[in-house]
PDB file of all heavy atoms in Angstrom:
ATOM      1  N   THR A 175      -6.105  16.626   5.501  1.00  0.00           N
ATOM      2  CA  THR A 175      -4.754  16.678   5.991  1.00  0.00           C
ATOM      3  C   THR A 175      -4.715  16.502   7.476  1.00  0.00           C
ATOM      4  O   THR A 175      -5.663  16.490   8.158  1.00  0.00           O
ATOM      5  CB  THR A 175      -4.078  18.095   5.659  1.00  0.00           C
ATOM      6  OG1 THR A 175      -4.794  19.053   6.423  1.00  0.00           O
ATOM      7  CG2 THR A 175      -4.125  18.384   4.154  1.00  0.00           C
ATOM      8  N   THR A 176      -3.439  16.459   7.947  1.00  0.00           N
ATOM      9  CA  THR A 176      -3.215  16.101   9.396  1.00  0.00           C
ATOM     10  C   THR A 176      -3.945  17.134  10.296  1.00  0.00           C
ATOM     11  O   THR A 176      -4.749  16.851  11.202  1.00  0.00           O
ATOM     12  CB  THR A 176      -1.800  16.070   9.808  1.00  0.00           C
ATOM     13  OG1 THR A 176      -1.097  15.290   8.871  1.00  0.00           O
ATOM     14  CG2 THR A 176      -1.536  15.606  11.164  1.00  0.00           C
ATOM     15  N   GLU A 177      -3.645  18.411   9.970  1.00  0.00           N
ATOM     16  CA  GLU A 177      -4.226  19.542  10.831  1.00  0.00           C
ATOM     17  C   GLU A 177      -5.718  19.771  10.615  1.00  0.00           C
ATOM     18  O   GLU A 177      -6.437  20.293  11.391  1.00  0.00           O
ATOM     19  CB  GLU A 177      -3.412  20.735  10.775  1.00  0.00           C
ATOM     20  CG  GLU A 177      -3.356  21.398   9.449  1.00  0.00           C
ATOM     21  CD  GLU A 177      -2.146  20.945   8.575  1.00  0.00           C
ATOM     22  OE1 GLU A 177      -1.809  19.734   8.794  1.00  0.00           O
ATOM     23  OE2 GLU A 177      -1.653  21.669   7.762  1.00  0.00           O
ATOM     24  N   ASP A 178      -6.200  19.441   9.333  1.00  0.00           N
ATOM     25  CA  ASP A 178      -7.658  19.418   9.127  1.00  0.00           C
ATOM     26  C   ASP A 178      -8.380  18.630  10.182  1.00  0.00           C
ATOM     27  O   ASP A 178      -9.379  19.058  10.825  1.00  0.00           O
ATOM     28  CB  ASP A 178      -8.003  18.849   7.724  1.00  0.00           C
ATOM     29  CG  ASP A 178      -7.796  19.768   6.611  1.00  0.00           C
ATOM     30  OD1 ASP A 178      -7.674  20.998   6.837  1.00  0.00           O
ATOM     31  OD2 ASP A 178      -7.717  19.267   5.499  1.00  0.00           O
ATOM     32  N   TRP A 179      -7.893  17.449  10.440  1.00  0.00           N
ATOM     33  CA  TRP A 179      -8.492  16.581  11.526  1.00  0.00           C
ATOM     34  C   TRP A 179      -8.150  17.088  12.873  1.00  0.00           C
ATOM     35  O   TRP A 179      -9.031  17.245  13.778  1.00  0.00           O
ATOM     36  CB  TRP A 179      -8.075  15.181  11.362  1.00  0.00           C
ATOM     37  CG  TRP A 179      -8.549  14.310  12.511  1.00  0.00           C
ATOM     38  CD1 TRP A 179      -9.798  13.889  12.794  1.00  0.00           C
ATOM     39  CD2 TRP A 179      -7.678  13.926  13.573  1.00  0.00           C
ATOM     40  NE1 TRP A 179      -9.785  13.278  14.023  1.00  0.00           N
ATOM     41  CE2 TRP A 179      -8.541  13.231  14.469  1.00  0.00           C
ATOM     42  CE3 TRP A 179      -6.408  14.087  13.885  1.00  0.00           C
ATOM     43  CZ2 TRP A 179      -8.032  12.750  15.719  1.00  0.00           C
ATOM     44  CZ3 TRP A 179      -5.859  13.581  15.089  1.00  0.00           C
ATOM     45  CH2 TRP A 179      -6.734  12.892  15.999  1.00  0.00           C
ATOM     46  N   SER A 180      -6.808  17.263  13.228  1.00  0.00           N
ATOM     47  CA  SER A 180      -6.340  17.466  14.490  1.00  0.00           C
ATOM     48  C   SER A 180      -6.946  18.780  15.127  1.00  0.00           C
ATOM     49  O   SER A 180      -7.363  18.766  16.295  1.00  0.00           O
ATOM     50  CB  SER A 180      -4.817  17.519  14.575  1.00  0.00           C
ATOM     51  OG  SER A 180      -4.341  18.643  13.950  1.00  0.00           O
ATOM     52  N   TYR A 181      -7.034  19.836  14.395  1.00  0.00           N
ATOM     53  CA  TYR A 181      -7.619  21.018  14.904  1.00  0.00           C
ATOM     54  C   TYR A 181      -9.119  20.915  15.214  1.00  0.00           C
ATOM     55  O   TYR A 181      -9.566  21.187  16.354  1.00  0.00           O
ATOM     56  CB  TYR A 181      -7.378  22.241  13.953  1.00  0.00           C
ATOM     57  CG  TYR A 181      -8.136  23.512  14.452  1.00  0.00           C
ATOM     58  CD1 TYR A 181      -7.668  24.189  15.600  1.00  0.00           C
ATOM     59  CD2 TYR A 181      -9.363  23.881  13.924  1.00  0.00           C
ATOM     60  CE1 TYR A 181      -8.400  25.268  16.095  1.00  0.00           C
ATOM     61  CE2 TYR A 181     -10.016  24.972  14.405  1.00  0.00           C
ATOM     62  CZ  TYR A 181      -9.560  25.610  15.432  1.00  0.00           C
ATOM     63  OH  TYR A 181     -10.250  26.661  16.006  1.00  0.00           O
ATOM     64  N   TYR A 182      -9.858  20.412  14.276  1.00  0.00           N
ATOM     65  CA  TYR A 182     -11.302  20.413  14.463  1.00  0.00           C
ATOM     66  C   TYR A 182     -11.721  19.211  15.394  1.00  0.00           C
ATOM     67  O   TYR A 182     -12.842  19.323  15.934  1.00  0.00           O
ATOM     68  CB  TYR A 182     -12.007  20.285  13.112  1.00  0.00           C
ATOM     69  CG  TYR A 182     -11.882  21.555  12.305  1.00  0.00           C
ATOM     70  CD1 TYR A 182     -11.015  21.710  11.242  1.00  0.00           C
ATOM     71  CD2 TYR A 182     -12.737  22.650  12.636  1.00  0.00           C
ATOM     72  CE1 TYR A 182     -10.919  22.907  10.620  1.00  0.00           C
ATOM     73  CE2 TYR A 182     -12.620  23.854  11.928  1.00  0.00           C
ATOM     74  CZ  TYR A 182     -11.699  23.956  10.926  1.00  0.00           C
ATOM     75  OH  TYR A 182     -11.611  25.170  10.244  1.00  0.00           O
ATOM     76  N   ALA A 183     -10.923  18.169  15.570  1.00  0.00           N
ATOM     77  CA  ALA A 183     -11.264  17.150  16.481  1.00  0.00           C
ATOM     78  C   ALA A 183     -10.782  17.426  17.896  1.00  0.00           C
ATOM     79  O   ALA A 183     -11.422  16.974  18.827  1.00  0.00           O
ATOM     80  CB  ALA A 183     -10.633  15.847  16.010  1.00  0.00           C
ATOM     81  N   THR A 184      -9.643  18.177  18.087  1.00  0.00           N
ATOM     82  CA  THR A 184      -9.087  18.304  19.376  1.00  0.00           C
ATOM     83  C   THR A 184      -8.829  19.663  19.812  1.00  0.00           C
ATOM     84  O   THR A 184      -8.656  19.974  21.040  1.00  0.00           O
ATOM     85  CB  THR A 184      -7.711  17.580  19.512  1.00  0.00           C
ATOM     86  OG1 THR A 184      -6.717  18.340  18.724  1.00  0.00           O
ATOM     87  CG2 THR A 184      -7.758  16.256  18.848  1.00  0.00           C
ATOM     88  N   GLY A 185      -8.860  20.676  18.915  1.00  0.00           N
ATOM     89  CA  GLY A 185      -8.682  22.079  19.240  1.00  0.00           C
ATOM     90  C   GLY A 185      -7.229  22.391  19.295  1.00  0.00           C
ATOM     91  O   GLY A 185      -6.874  23.574  19.497  1.00  0.00           O
ATOM     92  N   GLY A 186      -6.298  21.475  19.160  1.00  0.00           N
ATOM     93  CA  GLY A 186      -4.914  21.764  19.229  1.00  0.00           C
ATOM     94  C   GLY A 186      -4.498  22.522  17.821  1.00  0.00           C
ATOM     95  O   GLY A 186      -4.990  22.174  16.761  1.00  0.00           O
ATOM     96  N   LEU A 187      -3.622  23.437  17.985  1.00  0.00           N
ATOM     97  CA  LEU A 187      -3.222  24.249  16.849  1.00  0.00           C
ATOM     98  C   LEU A 187      -2.215  23.442  15.933  1.00  0.00           C
ATOM     99  O   LEU A 187      -1.075  23.230  16.400  1.00  0.00           O
ATOM    100  CB  LEU A 187      -2.658  25.557  17.257  1.00  0.00           C
ATOM    101  CG  LEU A 187      -3.599  26.437  18.056  1.00  0.00           C
ATOM    102  CD1 LEU A 187      -2.912  27.773  18.373  1.00  0.00           C
ATOM    103  CD2 LEU A 187      -4.898  26.662  17.409  1.00  0.00           C
ATOM    104  N   GLY A 188      -2.553  23.001  14.818  1.00  0.00           N
ATOM    105  CA  GLY A 188      -1.722  22.259  13.988  1.00  0.00           C
ATOM    106  C   GLY A 188      -1.153  23.118  12.781  1.00  0.00           C
ATOM    107  O   GLY A 188      -1.912  23.888  12.194  1.00  0.00           O
ATOM    108  N   PHE A 189       0.123  22.883  12.476  1.00  0.00           N
ATOM    109  CA  PHE A 189       0.733  23.617  11.371  1.00  0.00           C
ATOM    110  C   PHE A 189       1.451  22.671  10.380  1.00  0.00           C
ATOM    111  O   PHE A 189       1.939  21.625  10.857  1.00  0.00           O
ATOM    112  CB  PHE A 189       1.778  24.663  11.890  1.00  0.00           C
ATOM    113  CG  PHE A 189       1.251  25.742  12.694  1.00  0.00           C
ATOM    114  CD1 PHE A 189       0.976  25.596  14.107  1.00  0.00           C
ATOM    115  CD2 PHE A 189       0.867  26.944  12.178  1.00  0.00           C
ATOM    116  CE1 PHE A 189       0.388  26.571  14.896  1.00  0.00           C
ATOM    117  CE2 PHE A 189       0.346  27.960  12.958  1.00  0.00           C
ATOM    118  CZ  PHE A 189       0.130  27.783  14.287  1.00  0.00           C
ATOM    119  N   THR A 190       1.453  23.076   9.153  1.00  0.00           N
ATOM    120  CA  THR A 190       2.381  22.411   8.155  1.00  0.00           C
ATOM    121  C   THR A 190       3.485  23.295   7.904  1.00  0.00           C
ATOM    122  O   THR A 190       3.369  24.448   7.526  1.00  0.00           O
ATOM    123  CB  THR A 190       1.661  22.062   6.884  1.00  0.00           C
ATOM    124  OG1 THR A 190       0.625  21.114   7.090  1.00  0.00           O
ATOM    125  CG2 THR A 190       2.604  21.636   5.801  1.00  0.00           C
ATOM    126  N   TYR A 191       4.722  22.751   8.092  1.00  0.00           N
ATOM    127  CA  TYR A 191       5.934  23.433   7.742  1.00  0.00           C
ATOM    128  C   TYR A 191       6.370  22.968   6.389  1.00  0.00           C
ATOM    129  O   TYR A 191       6.659  21.780   6.201  1.00  0.00           O
ATOM    130  CB  TYR A 191       7.036  23.239   8.824  1.00  0.00           C
ATOM    131  CG  TYR A 191       7.251  24.249   9.825  1.00  0.00           C
ATOM    132  CD1 TYR A 191       6.218  24.680  10.600  1.00  0.00           C
ATOM    133  CD2 TYR A 191       8.479  24.940   9.897  1.00  0.00           C
ATOM    134  CE1 TYR A 191       6.416  25.682  11.574  1.00  0.00           C
ATOM    135  CE2 TYR A 191       8.694  25.921  10.872  1.00  0.00           C
ATOM    136  CZ  TYR A 191       7.622  26.313  11.703  1.00  0.00           C
ATOM    137  OH  TYR A 191       7.855  27.319  12.655  1.00  0.00           O
ATOM    138  N   MET A 192       6.516  23.912   5.447  1.00  0.00           N
ATOM    139  CA  MET A 192       7.076  23.559   4.094  1.00  0.00           C
ATOM    140  C   MET A 192       8.469  24.085   4.114  1.00  0.00           C
ATOM    141  O   MET A 192       8.759  25.188   3.675  1.00  0.00           O
ATOM    142  CB  MET A 192       6.145  24.251   3.031  1.00  0.00           C
ATOM    143  CG  MET A 192       4.732  24.018   3.222  1.00  0.00           C
ATOM    144  SD  MET A 192       4.167  22.384   2.932  1.00  0.00           S
ATOM    145  CE  MET A 192       4.466  22.162   1.158  1.00  0.00           C
ATOM    146  N   GLU A 193       9.404  23.197   4.565  1.00  0.00           N
ATOM    147  CA  GLU A 193      10.690  23.747   4.985  1.00  0.00           C
ATOM    148  C   GLU A 193      11.727  23.384   3.911  1.00  0.00           C
ATOM    149  O   GLU A 193      11.494  22.723   2.947  1.00  0.00           O
ATOM    150  CB  GLU A 193      11.076  23.182   6.293  1.00  0.00           C
ATOM    151  CG  GLU A 193      11.576  21.775   6.355  1.00  0.00           C
ATOM    152  CD  GLU A 193      10.442  20.784   6.002  1.00  0.00           C
ATOM    153  OE1 GLU A 193       9.289  21.090   5.931  1.00  0.00           O
ATOM    154  OE2 GLU A 193      10.778  19.534   5.921  1.00  0.00           O
ATOM    155  N   ILE A 194      12.999  23.753   4.262  1.00  0.00           N
ATOM    156  CA  ILE A 194      14.170  23.376   3.483  1.00  0.00           C
ATOM    157  C   ILE A 194      14.272  24.014   2.199  1.00  0.00           C
ATOM    158  O   ILE A 194      14.337  23.270   1.193  1.00  0.00           O
ATOM    159  CB  ILE A 194      14.341  21.838   3.485  1.00  0.00           C
ATOM    160  CG1 ILE A 194      13.955  21.160   4.728  1.00  0.00           C
ATOM    161  CG2 ILE A 194      15.743  21.483   3.065  1.00  0.00           C
ATOM    162  CD1 ILE A 194      14.731  21.523   5.956  1.00  0.00           C
ATOM    163  N   GLY A 195      14.154  25.302   2.084  1.00  0.00           N
ATOM    164  CA  GLY A 195      14.626  25.978   0.889  1.00  0.00           C
ATOM    165  C   GLY A 195      13.479  26.375   0.044  1.00  0.00           C
ATOM    166  O   GLY A 195      12.408  25.662  -0.047  1.00  0.00           O
ATOM    167  N   ARG A 196      13.682  27.366  -0.775  1.00  0.00           N
ATOM    168  CA  ARG A 196      12.724  27.771  -1.869  1.00  0.00           C
ATOM    169  C   ARG A 196      12.985  27.111  -3.175  1.00  0.00           C
ATOM    170  O   ARG A 196      12.099  26.992  -4.031  1.00  0.00           O
ATOM    171  CB  ARG A 196      12.788  29.285  -2.087  1.00  0.00           C
ATOM    172  CG  ARG A 196      12.368  30.064  -0.844  1.00  0.00           C
ATOM    173  CD  ARG A 196      12.227  31.557  -1.086  1.00  0.00           C
ATOM    174  NE  ARG A 196      11.876  32.304   0.102  1.00  0.00           N
ATOM    175  CZ  ARG A 196      10.594  32.451   0.445  1.00  0.00           C
ATOM    176  NH1 ARG A 196       9.631  31.953  -0.169  1.00  0.00           N
ATOM    177  NH2 ARG A 196      10.339  33.167   1.556  1.00  0.00           N
ATOM    178  N   ALA A 197      14.124  26.477  -3.415  1.00  0.00           N
ATOM    179  CA  ALA A 197      14.408  25.804  -4.582  1.00  0.00           C
ATOM    180  C   ALA A 197      14.221  24.274  -4.349  1.00  0.00           C
ATOM    181  O   ALA A 197      14.014  23.814  -3.213  1.00  0.00           O
ATOM    182  CB  ALA A 197      15.839  26.104  -5.084  1.00  0.00           C
ATOM    183  N   SER A 198      14.375  23.496  -5.356  1.00  0.00           N
ATOM    184  CA  SER A 198      14.036  22.096  -5.265  1.00  0.00           C
ATOM    185  C   SER A 198      15.206  21.214  -4.990  1.00  0.00           C
ATOM    186  O   SER A 198      15.263  20.021  -5.299  1.00  0.00           O
ATOM    187  CB  SER A 198      13.357  21.575  -6.582  1.00  0.00           C
ATOM    188  OG  SER A 198      14.281  21.748  -7.697  1.00  0.00           O
ATOM    189  N   CYS A 199      16.308  21.818  -4.360  1.00  0.00           N
ATOM    190  CA  CYS A 199      17.431  21.028  -4.061  1.00  0.00           C
ATOM    191  C   CYS A 199      17.157  20.085  -2.960  1.00  0.00           C
ATOM    192  O   CYS A 199      16.961  20.448  -1.803  1.00  0.00           O
ATOM    193  CB  CYS A 199      18.619  21.940  -3.717  1.00  0.00           C
ATOM    194  SG  CYS A 199      18.402  23.005  -2.302  1.00  0.00           S
ATOM    195  N   ARG A 200      17.099  18.818  -3.229  1.00  0.00           N
ATOM    196  CA  ARG A 200      16.947  17.752  -2.319  1.00  0.00           C
ATOM    197  C   ARG A 200      15.615  17.848  -1.583  1.00  0.00           C
ATOM    198  O   ARG A 200      15.497  17.417  -0.454  1.00  0.00           O
ATOM    199  CB  ARG A 200      18.090  17.684  -1.325  1.00  0.00           C
ATOM    200  CG  ARG A 200      19.069  16.659  -1.600  1.00  0.00           C
ATOM    201  CD  ARG A 200      18.423  15.337  -1.720  1.00  0.00           C
ATOM    202  NE  ARG A 200      19.436  14.366  -2.110  1.00  0.00           N
ATOM    203  CZ  ARG A 200      19.102  13.204  -2.751  1.00  0.00           C
ATOM    204  NH1 ARG A 200      17.838  13.071  -3.154  1.00  0.00           N
ATOM    205  NH2 ARG A 200      19.941  12.334  -3.006  1.00  0.00           N
TER     206      ARG A 200
END
């Protein structure tokens, strides 16, 4: 994943936001 590489390659703190609701609307 993006942050798998970015954190271990650069030390920058990477996050995945799983946003926009708990249901599957759009």
Side-chain angles (χ1 to χ4, degrees):
T175 66
T176 312
E177 62 271 30
D178 280 342
W179 170 77
S180 66
Y181 172 74
Y182 289 101
T184 73
L187 302 182
F189 296 87
T190 290
Y191 260 59
M192 312 291 293
E193 76 291 354
I194 320 300
R196 294 187 181 276
S198 61
C199 60
R200 258 307 176 207

